[in-house]
Amino acid sequence: MKTLLIIIALAPLFGAILAGLFGRQIGRIGAHTVTIGGVALSCILSLYVFKQLAFDNAPVFNENLYTWFEIGGYSAHVGFLIDRLTAMMMVVVTFVSLMVHVYTIGYMEEDPGYQRFFSYIALFTFSMLMLVMSNNFLQLFFGWEAVGLVSYLLIGFWFKRPSAIFANMKAFLVNRVGDFGFLLGIAAVLWYFGSLDYATVFANRETISGKTIEILAGHAWAVPTVIGILLFIGAMGKSAQVPLHVWLPDSMEGPTPISALIHAATMVTAGIFMVARMSPLYELSETALAFIAFTGATTALFTGLIGLVQNDIKRVVAYSTLSQLGYMTVALGVSAYNAAVFHLMTHAFFKALLFLGAGSVIMAMHHEQDMRHMGGLKKYMPITYWTGVLGTLALVGTPFFSGFYSKDAIIVAAEHASGSHGGVFTYAYVAVLLGVFVTSLYSFRLLFLTFHGQERFKVVAPAHHEHHDGADADGHDDHDDHHHTPGELAHPPHESPWVVTVPLVLLAIPSVAIAWFFAKPMLLGDFFQGAIYVDPSREPLGHLAEHFHSVSGFAIHGLMTLPFWLAFAGFALAAYVYLFNRELATKAYNTLRPLARILENKYGFDALYQAVFARGSVLLGRGFWKAGDTAVIDGALVNGSAALIDRLSLITRSIQTGFLYHYAFAMILGLIVLLSAFLWLK
């Protein structure tokens, strides 16, 4: 097993090194061959490991492979903890990554950075595997920072585009805020447990129960609450929860394949996975769980509302990701950790499908992304359309689709927490309910604006329409760039090549059917065994068992529940407005213009951060520069010491006259001073 796990982790790294360092030598075909081969090997072996643990009841693997360093009595190790939670994450990460790798062959075909891009996405996969397979906090932090670094490289992949550089720097800085809290949480774990090994920490969890710490004098905080909130601040940055969510929509500046990889199966799910892994610690603090539930509910509802006013096809899907991450976070806050990771799994498939489908549309529209210039694409792109329909139905939680089982479980858990505890948990329940309607409305709006209705684009002769087929003047492909003349195409839209459509079909299958096999064992059974711990007094999904007698029976019951009718209402409203009465959308926008402006401005978070933190930091830096560097360092230390030496040298130079009687007088005067001092001291 050990050798198998090492191969799973290192195969993508090997491909990344070959494509990155020897890309010119092996060429484009060589670059995608070695990286796809490495990720495919990891995927196949991950499926085998999952089978061993889930179906053959193989024992949990927890072993240190390498001693990193030793300081005093503390030893840092590289090791793997492979249980069913880890095995599930390994399969999700490698399968979605493999689909993205294959898709990239078609999407990045004309990009001059082809080999570099394949190197980055393979390195991304390695980093995520190291994160989910770790058996200690230090290795977790290594993988945590590695995915952050590679996401910085990928978001700014087209580094000659100013907007891409702004976006990757924004992602980097916002995640540093979260990572600061995460690092403090890890330090607190080491301080109170004397170890960063998961097994040791979880086995001794009760030792911090009842302990307090005074962060501010006179204000005692429970240690489990402090550790839980600090660790969750890291998850807020990585999994883009309010108010550290602002980087995720701007990550659309990267090529579409990496948008799918970041949003579906890697970086943004790291925080959800981490909190689920730390469930033994979080179960010690009601306050930390309430904070998590409140944050997730706010993200689920209010970021979903922003998706209603977006016209960029990728940004609609991006805000959908923010909202769905909020659902997962609510599940964590109500102790339904298994529902959170189950939704993580189902969401990975249908969200990757929707992102890659959006990329397929962008390719067909010659890199036009504004849905207002699309329409009627169904007849041109049947495979993209029907896979998009399946992904949309899964996203809105349609019964019998995978997303229904995972989302409905979260809503049931939130309802139970609301009835048991009220307060914040009631707010969370209302937010996830309203979020169902919002999700359905913006999802079907995207589907109808893109594929249905009148064609809002015009095919013109190439002579009348300037179009790039290769790299632009800045040296990067014009993928994801808007057209010079919106709505005008040099060629009619057409279905994407097989390297794009095959991943769409393969992702559509689990988007529909994966929950049929795993919903009951993951939500109600003991599938995760000791990987997830829930206090026996909570039973967040206990009420789910009353209706979940079978997969089909639960889906039929879902047709009579409020979430289904809210989703249907969103579909009906979107269909009426965007298929039959487009003028109503304009009238509603004009009537609700103040509210629409708030949503278009994203509640002012970007403006606030730009004004307070970005410009404030610049002004503070300039103040320190003028007060410290100019006045103290340059003025007092550098220029001041130079001026002092200059004055002293002038005095010394004036004394050195060259006359003998001046020197004799100075010697006599000095002797008198020395004798006077001697007699006075005596």
Side-chain angles (χ1 to χ4, degrees):
M1 176 69 81
K2 184 192 298 185
T3 304
L4 205 65
L5 297 174
I6 293 173
I7 294 173
I8 291 173
L10 296 184
L13 177 63
F14 178 73
I17 292 172
L18 286 179
L21 299 182
F22 306 101
R24 290 186 179 181
Q25 288 81 359
I26 63 178
R28 292 184 168 219
I29 295 177
H32 71 234
T33 300
V34 295
T35 50
I36 291 175
V39 174
L41 179 61
S42 290
C43 182
I44 293 169
L45 295 181
S46 295
L47 286 167
Y48 175 76
V49 170
F50 181 79
K51 173 185 174 296
Q52 291 287 304
L53 287 163
F55 299 105
D56 298 340
N57 292 316
V60 172
F61 179 91
N62 184 11
E63 188 175 327
N64 293 324
L65 308 179
Y66 174 76
T67 300
W68 197 351
F69 60 82
E70 294 183 1
I71 300 178
Y74 174 72
S75 299
H77 303 281
V78 175
F80 293 150
L81 169 59
I82 310 299
D83 52 21
R84 290 185 177 182
L85 174 61
T86 304
M88 182 271 286
M89 287 295 298
M90 290 163 59
V91 171
V92 170
V93 168
T94 55
F95 179 75
V96 174
S97 178
L98 178 60
M99 295 300 100
V100 170
H101 275 69
V102 175
Y103 177 95
T104 300
I105 297 174
Y107 194 87
M108 301 293 287
E109 180 182 6
E110 298 166 352
D111 197 287
Y114 189 87
Q115 293 96 314
R116 178 166 57 94
F117 189 81
F118 271 98
S119 175
Y120 286 171
I121 58 177
L123 186 60
F124 208 134
T125 307
F126 160 74
S127 302
M128 192 65 188
L129 286 171
M130 290 299 290
L131 187 156
V132 301
M133 295 170 70
S134 63
N135 71 346
N136 63 84
F137 284 89
L138 195 60
Q139 185 179 329
L140 171 70
F141 187 71
F142 164 77
W144 195 269
E145 293 302 303
V147 294
L149 170 63
V150 185
S151 70
Y152 170 83
L153 296 173
L154 283 162
I155 294 170
F157 180 77
W158 288 317
F159 53 83
K160 292 186 179 181
R161 185 192 298 178
S163 57
I165 296 302
F166 178 83
N168 73 348
M169 185 58 69
K170 186 177 183 179
F172 185 82
L173 293 176
V174 171
N175 273 278
R176 295 295 70 73
V177 175
D179 291 352
F180 180 68
F182 189 56
L183 193 58
L184 289 176
I186 293 175
V189 169
L190 181 61
W191 177 264
Y192 283 99
F193 292 98
S195 173
L196 292 178
D197 181 72
Y198 291 164
T200 303
V201 171
F202 297 157
N204 296 282
R205 57 188 287 271
E206 293 294 342
T207 59
I208 62 171
S209 182
K211 287 188 177 181
T212 59
I213 180 175
E214 288 192 6
I215 300 175
L216 298 176
H219 299 275
W221 282 65
V223 169
T225 299
V226 172
I227 291 176
I229 291 178
L230 286 174
L231 292 175
F232 180 67
I233 289 173
M236 288 171 66
K238 202 67 70 182
S239 293
Q241 297 296 291
V242 173
L244 300 181
H245 66 290
V246 293
W247 67 271
L248 193 60
D250 287 344
S251 69
M252 297 299 96
E253 288 295 331
T256 297
I258 193 51
S259 300
L261 200 55
I262 289 177
H263 285 243
T266 53
M267 186 169 170
V268 295
T269 62
I272 307 300
F273 166 79
M274 183 274 293
V275 175
R277 173 62 78 195
M278 304 304 146
S279 58
L281 298 181
Y282 280 101
E283 286 300 287
L284 296 173
S285 174
E286 291 275 0
T287 304
L289 291 174
F291 176 70
I292 292 172
F294 175 81
T295 303
T298 303
T299 305
L301 177 59
F302 290 99
T303 60
L305 288 170
I306 300 176
L308 295 174
V309 298
Q310 297 298 309
N311 295 310
D312 185 310
I313 186 171
K314 284 174 63 177
R315 285 186 177 269
V316 176
V317 186
Y319 281 104
S320 169
T321 298
L322 282 172
S323 181
Q324 296 307 306
L325 287 168
Y327 273 85
M328 298 176 210
T329 305
V330 168
L332 297 172
V334 298
S335 296
Y337 306 100
N338 50 342
V341 295
F342 183 55
H343 193 52
L344 183 159
M345 179 182 74
T346 61
H347 174 264
F349 297 119
F350 60 73
K351 187 51 60 68
L353 170 61
L354 291 172
F355 262 115
L356 298 184
S360 179
V361 170
I362 292 168
M363 292 172 64
M365 293 297 296
H366 301 260
H367 313 298
E368 173 65 65
Q369 295 181 210
D370 194 326
M371 296 184 297
R372 293 172 295 183
H373 302 138
M374 297 180 187
L377 292 178
K378 175 183 176 181
K379 66 181 180 181
Y380 298 103
M381 312 179 68
I383 298 176
T384 301
Y385 170 72
W386 286 110
T387 54
V389 168
L390 296 177
T392 300
L393 292 174
L395 172 62
V396 303
T398 307
F400 295 101
F401 286 77
S402 294
F404 160 75
Y405 298 95
S406 55
K407 183 180 283 189
D408 223 54
I410 293 173
I411 295 172
V412 168
E415 181 183 18
H416 174 70
S418 172
S420 301
H421 304 288
V424 167
F425 298 101
T426 299
Y427 165 70
Y429 174 56
V430 173
V432 295
L433 266 183
L434 294 176
V436 173
F437 171 78
V438 174
T439 301
S440 181
L441 182 56
Y442 66 65
S443 297
F444 284 106
R445 172 179 176 263
L446 182 152
L447 193 71
F448 296 146
L449 282 177
T450 304
F451 293 102
H452 290 269
Q454 184 180 359
E455 296 178 5
R456 295 180 298 280
F457 56 87
K458 181 172 63 174
V459 179
V460 298
H464 297 96
H465 181 81
E466 182 183 353
H467 173 67
H468 298 260
D469 278 332
D472 65 14
D474 288 334
H476 61 68
D477 193 301
D478 66 352
H479 282 292
D480 299 301
D481 281 336
H482 285 281
H483 241 10
H484 297 296
T485 305
E488 289 190 356
L489 305 181
H491 308 286
H494 58 83
E495 186 60 271
S496 299
W498 71 268
V499 289
V500 171
T501 55
V502 167
L504 295 181
V505 173
L506 292 179
L507 285 166
I509 295 171
S511 297
V512 175
I514 192 72
W516 300 351
F517 305 99
F518 294 106
K520 193 165 187 177
M522 286 189 177
L523 294 175
L524 298 175
D526 193 26
F527 180 86
F528 293 109
Q529 295 178 335
I532 290 175
Y533 173 79
V534 180
D535 191 299
S537 64
R538 299 187 195 278
E539 295 185 3
L541 293 175
H543 291 284
L544 189 67
E546 298 175 7
H547 307 290
F548 205 135
H549 303 296
S550 66
V551 170
S552 58
F554 185 65
I556 293 171
H557 171 75
L559 295 171
M560 299 177 284
T561 59
L562 181 58
F564 170 75
W565 290 107
L566 287 171
F568 182 80
F571 159 76
L573 181 59
Y576 175 71
V577 172
Y578 295 103
L579 292 182
F580 306 108
N581 194 354
R582 284 289 305 278
E583 293 78 13
L584 183 60
T586 304
K587 292 178 182 177
Y589 179 86
N590 292 330
T591 304
L592 303 173
R593 187 180 295 271
L595 177 59
R597 290 294 187 191
I598 292 173
L599 295 177
E600 288 173 344
N601 293 326
K602 307 159 195 173
Y603 307 110
F605 277 104
D606 283 339
L608 175 66
Y609 292 165
Q610 186 76 11
V612 176
F613 295 106
R615 292 176 185 167
S617 299
V618 171
L619 292 175
L620 185 64
R622 287 175 179 169
F624 279 124
W625 173 65
K626 290 180 179 179
D629 188 74
T630 304
V632 178
I633 297 176
D634 285 345
L637 298 180
V638 179
N639 297 333
S641 59
L644 178 63
I645 293 172
D646 185 52
R647 292 189 181 94
L648 290 175
S649 65
L650 285 173
I651 296 171
T652 305
R653 194 161 58 242
S654 64
I655 295 174
Q656 302 296 325
T657 63
F659 294 109
L660 185 62
Y661 60 88
H662 284 173
Y663 298 150
F665 175 75
M667 292 172 65
I668 293 170
L669 185 63
L671 181 61
I672 291 171
V673 171
L674 288 173
L675 289 174
S676 299
F678 176 74
L679 292 173
W680 182 73
L681 292 172
K682 186 177 180 181

